[in-house]
Amino acid sequence: MIIEKGIIVKQKEFLAAFKEVFVYQARKKFGLSDDLSKREKYLRPLTIPVYVILLYFFTQNHYDIPLVLLMLVGCAWLSAIAMDSIRMIYNRRRTLAESNKGFRDIEEFTFREKLFTYLIPAIVLTGIFAGGMLVITFIRTGELQLHVFVGMLSIPPVLFYNLRTK
């Protein structure tokens, strides 16, 4: 490995790929990405505010089943975005490398490498989301719904299994 101004070259390419994918995902989320249809460009920016409004409405009125379903949809959506982003980061990092020596495509990873590559970011993001939903629900309703929290944390392994079987 070549060290350039204190940054290992592999890390430099990873950070550049991470930045590109982060910007792409942010642009996509707010409907600014060029690869979206005209309809998606108008609907995507509404997704998060509508989600928050529905979350508040269901929590305020103590609608347990729609609230749980909404939280599960949010966790599944977040986990899918995390796994897709990781795939894009590793693919982009490989194309940014001056030589592909030492860089493998994510499809060439072993099962254990894929497990850690996909599940760690997905579980961290899902855990943050699920924890936030648990706290919001507890503050608004006074109920600690640990079964919902555990259910949300089970989404990344299910998505990983689905990804692995493709």
Side-chain angles (χ1 to χ4, degrees):
M1 283 185 224
I2 302 169
I3 297 180
E4 184 178 289
K5 295 182 184 176
I7 298 176
I8 298 174
V9 173
K10 283 186 177 184
Q11 291 177 352
K12 184 179 174 183
E13 285 144 353
F14 183 84
L15 291 173
F18 179 84
K19 180 181 174 186
E20 284 182 30
V21 172
F22 181 83
V23 169
Y24 168 77
Q25 289 290 3
R27 290 181 57 78
K28 189 174 177 183
K29 181 118 10 259
F30 294 108
L32 302 172
S33 181
D34 295 332
D35 63 342
L36 298 175
S37 69
K38 196 172 193 175
R39 186 174 139 238
E40 283 179 311
K41 285 186 179 191
Y42 292 110
L43 292 179
R44 287 226 182 220
L46 298 175
T47 305
I48 294 174
V50 168
Y51 186 87
V52 170
I53 289 168
L54 286 174
L55 184 66
Y56 178 79
F57 177 75
F58 293 153
T59 304
Q60 183 70 25
N61 294 308
H62 302 281
Y63 295 143
D64 289 340
I65 293 173
L67 179 63
V68 169
L69 290 175
L70 188 66
M71 291 187 320
L72 288 175
V73 166
C75 273
W77 180 41
L78 189 62
S79 295
I81 288 172
M83 289 183 181
D84 183 48
S85 294
I86 286 298
R87 176 183 298 260
M88 290 169 55
I89 288 169
Y90 277 95
N91 287 334
R92 184 64 183 140
R93 183 186 82 166
R94 187 167 191 231
T95 59
L96 285 174
E98 292 176 13
S99 73
N100 286 338
K101 185 179 180 186
F103 290 98
R104 295 176 291 151
D105 193 4
I106 202 160
E107 301 306 323
E108 299 169 2
F109 282 18
T110 64
F111 173 75
R112 188 180 334 159
E113 290 170 328
K114 284 183 181 179
L115 182 72
F116 288 116
T117 300
Y118 284 123
L119 283 184
I120 289 174
I123 288 177
V124 167
L125 287 174
T126 302
I128 292 168
F129 179 83
M133 294 298 105
L134 184 76
V135 169
I136 290 170
T137 303
F138 180 73
I139 290 170
R140 299 299 298 159
T141 65
E143 297 175 15
L144 193 61
Q145 299 179 351
L146 290 177
H147 61 285
V148 176
F149 180 75
V150 171
M152 287 189 276
L153 286 181
S154 69
I155 291 173
V158 170
L159 289 176
F160 177 74
Y161 176 76
N162 185 34
L163 183 72
R164 190 177 69 85
T165 58
K166 284 185 181 180

